[in-house]
Amino acid sequence: MSVIEPELPSGYAVTLESLKALVASAQLRAQRVVNAAMIELYWKIGCTILERQQAEPWGSKVLGRLADDLRREFPHMKGFSRRNLYYMRAFAEAWSAPDEFVQTVSAQITWSHNVALLERLQDQDLREWYAKRSFRHGWSLAVLEHQIASRLHEREGSAPNNLEARLPGEGTALAREVAKDPLVLDFLGLSAEADEAAIEEAMTLRMSQTLMEFGTGMAFAGRQVHLEVGGDDFYIDLLLYHIPTDRFNCTKGLRRLGEQFALAA
């Protein structure tokens, strides 16, 4: 005898949405805290390198050895390349005063954003101008690079520009980049496992959703599968295999031969 599930309270859906928003908000805060801690670490490493270079001959060979030793000690972290150490040094040099660093938004954007600011801009005021807008409007790295290349600071106020207004809600693009930043995952020591699990979950979900659209028991067999019929070439757009009936199923077209049909295995 089947058990009939009692009807949910009238306010359940609203409560669920509220709790989902709380979880998402907490995740975003945690991601930002981790990202800020990593950026601060890189700034402190850069400051240390600057201090040592002022006192001793710390050239490229020393930095290369330092990178090797740090990677050996922290093998799960990919941020300790010699090139990245130079970026850390440049980062510390650009934001030299501790108070200045704390007051900027550099710790609120990704390391890739900060590197782009260092590489593409020489003026410190402009770096801060673009950093603030990246954080305020949630720009992705691609958007930041585009805005710098198109010299937004010169265009703002002189021509209509609704790109910022058209970007999705508060900081979503930047939040996604913080969440998926491999350096942030490395910083937590989660890189291999977290990356693999996230990719596996996303791929499985996408594949299962797609196959379920065609019914149960379907397996993917191939795409653009070549057939020769009567001396002519044809290509099956999407070839599926229906396990219960032991048949191949051609979906969304066998070019020049029809939209959909099944072939006995």
Side-chain angles (χ1 to χ4, degrees), residues 135-174:
F135 175 60
R136 182 187 308 158
H137 301 294
W139 289 347
S140 67
L141 176 61
V143 171
L144 170 62
E145 291 176 335
H146 168 75
Q147 299 288 42
I148 294 174
S150 61
R151 304 185 69 82
L152 175 65
H153 61 283
E154 293 181 354
R155 296 185 289 109
E156 190 172 80
S158 60
N161 179 8
N162 64 347
L163 175 60
E164 295 177 1
R166 289 188 287 106
L167 289 172
E170 180 187 354
T172 53
L174 177 58

Side-chain angles (χ1 to χ4, degrees), residues 163 196 204 248 256 265:
L163 175 60
E196 183 177 349
T204 302
F248 286 102
R256 298 168 57 190

Side-chain angles (χ1 to χ4, degrees), residues 35-53 58 63 66 70 80 84-85 87-99 101-102 107 111 187:
N35 182 73
M38 186 188 73
I39 300 297
E40 184 176 3
L41 169 65
Y42 286 180
W43 179 77
K44 289 181 177 179
I45 291 175
C47 289
T48 301
I49 293 173
L50 282 174
E51 292 173 358
R52 300 315 306 165
Q53 286 184 333
W58 275 48
L63 288 184
L66 179 62
L70 287 174
F80 292 139
N84 216 29
L85 291 182
Y87 282 134
M88 295 177 199
R89 180 193 181 283
F91 183 57
E93 191 172 32
W95 281 272
S96 56
D99 291 340
F101 172 79
V102 173
W111 179 242
F187 181 74

Side-chain angles (χ1 to χ4, degrees), residues 214 218-219 221-222 236 238-242 247-252 260-263:
F214 304 116
M218 289 290 187
I236 298 175
L238 183 62
L239 184 63
L240 303 176
Y241 179 70
H242 190 235
R247 288 175 179 269
F248 286 102
N249 192 72
C250 170
T251 306
K252 287 253 178 182
Q260 182 172 342
F261 64 91
L263 297 172

